[in-house]
Amino acid sequence: MSRDRQLDGLRTLAVTMVLYHHFFAVNGSVLGHLGVRLFFVLSGFLITRLLLDARSFADYQPSAALKAFYIRRALRIFPPYFAMLGFIWFVNLEGARGSLKWHALYLSNFWYALRNEWTPWVLCHAWSLSIEEQFYIAWPLVILLAPRRLIAPVCVAVIAFSLAYRLYWPFTGTPSLARDLLPPASVDALVAGAFLAVYRRKTEACPLWIGPRWIGLSVVPLTIVSITVLWLKSVSMTPTLEWVTWIGGEVFPLIPLVMLVGCCSSGMQGAFGRMLERPTSTAIGRMSYGVYLFHPVVLSLVVKAQSWIPVNVSEQGPGRFVVATAATLMLASISWLAFERPLNQLKRYFPYVSSARPSTPSSRPSIAGERYEASAYRPSYANPDERGS
């Protein structure tokens, strides 16, 4: 469907921002983190949509749906992830072998938060995958077990808790990695996407902008403020202004990102919608998990092979961007075609419900074979041994 192709296109946009940040931007860029936030919103939306669809069927059973969810998630996420960890362990890439048990347990975000440094850098990106895995453990219990009337209030409460978490940090003194890597720092984007899925469930036949009036009116002002705040991150600031721009850069873009996902889930018209639906955009979007998963490994190997590469890949710039991006896309394509897609096909043996009989007219009957799942991202390393944030 059109909306599915556009959501794949959004994944391409998000992962492109991450690659630009890590391969090209000389003095760092806010685009990488913005791409991660977009991935989080997508993840929360897609996962919650799947789970709400499961609840709508007459044969819905919470235990069966939970079992199916966790098995399907494992089939999608674990094989390429542990293959990457296995390779890093085998060659001890960038000296990462000693910390692999943390990453294997999806505790990367706690590893870096406790150490307060991006060491080893080649697994920095695993922090966001750990955040998502922690989200996957808890969130299905809310969506599948909580009374329907409480799901939306729970979403609002979690988002408010995340905002309170951000407002707490200026009182702690010096910034640390913990403020960005602990779960409350990202749960607002994940649950904002989930709240979008809850809202769209009630307004499937209506355009997204026919809803709370303040949301539609706030998109343009918030987008302008977000651009301004994100630009300020690149200039020197006082400690107080740094805290203000950090909070603003996390909070202000959230509604524009949610609106973007919501509009694309309905099928956005115009040139931007057509761009997202191009075959190249949708193809990269489908394998964006592999692109994100492998790109730091590829960067490490490419830099080590500098003597055999005629362009400069040791530093940020066009040479690194072209070579490392091409190599990442090749590896991700091989992984998708030979490894990930065949495993994904096994998910048909684990449907969320035992039949396809919806209990409400608005239920989508494709739930047993729904293709969409979620994934997400971020860190920063302009050079392979740089400890970014």
Side-chain angles (χ1 to χ4, degrees), residues 33-264:
H33 185 51
L34 196 62
V36 173
R37 298 285 281 175
L38 176 55
F39 267 119
F40 281 147
V41 174
L42 274 166
S43 296
F45 172 72
L46 294 169
I47 289 302
T48 304
R49 189 178 74 174
L50 281 171
L51 296 173
L52 289 175
D53 283 348
R55 285 193 68 154
S56 70
F57 280 78
D59 292 344
Y60 161 72
Q61 295 179 344
S63 59
L66 279 172
K67 178 181 177 181
F69 174 82
Y70 291 129
I71 292 175
R72 290 164 69 92
R73 285 284 76 206
L75 286 171
R76 179 67 189 102
I77 293 175
F78 289 174
Y81 180 74
F82 285 103
M84 177 200 68
L85 292 185
F87 174 78
I88 290 175
W89 176 86
F90 182 74
V91 301
N92 195 24
L93 193 64
E94 306 298 339
R97 185 180 290 170
S99 65
L100 282 187
K101 58 180 178 293
W102 286 78
H103 306 291
L105 293 173
Y106 283 95
L107 295 173
S108 305
N109 55 328
F110 287 96
W111 166 263
Y112 292 115
L114 290 171
R115 293 175 63 85
N116 200 33
E117 61 179 10
W118 291 111
T119 306
W121 71 264
V122 77
L123 283 168
C124 286
H125 64 315
W127 79 270
S128 60
L129 301 177
S130 296
I131 289 282
E132 284 218 349
E133 199 63 28
Q134 293 154 19
F135 177 73
Y136 292 153
I137 291 173
W139 194 244
L141 300 175
V142 175
I143 299 300
L144 295 178
L145 300 179
R148 294 174 189 268
R149 69 182 185 279
L150 294 181
I151 294 177
V154 167
C155 291
V156 174
V158 172
I159 294 171
F161 168 72
S162 181
L163 179 60
Y165 170 87
R166 298 187 194 288
L167 295 175
Y168 157 78
W169 275 96
F171 298 102
T172 66
T174 305
S176 68
L177 290 183
R179 73 174 192 181
D180 292 308
L181 301 187
L182 296 181
S186 300
V187 74
D188 58 340
L190 288 158
V191 176
F195 187 73
L196 172 65
V198 174
Y199 176 77
R200 286 308 307 268
R201 186 75 185 171
K202 299 177 181 179
T203 59
E204 188 72 30
C206 300
L208 184 65
W209 54 85
I210 301 179
R213 183 175 176 82
W214 67 270
I215 292 181
L217 294 176
S218 66
V219 171
V220 173
L222 282 176
T223 301
I224 295 173
V225 172
S226 299
I227 293 172
T228 303
V229 170
L230 293 173
W231 174 80
L232 284 173
K233 285 176 171 285
S234 63
V235 302
S236 58
M237 296 175 290
T238 64
T240 300
L241 186 58
E242 194 277 337
W243 283 112
V244 172
T245 55
W246 170 69
I247 293 174
E250 297 293 309
V251 175
F252 292 143
L254 197 54
I255 287 180
L257 290 177
V258 169
M259 289 292 289
L260 178 62
V261 172
C263 290
C264 290

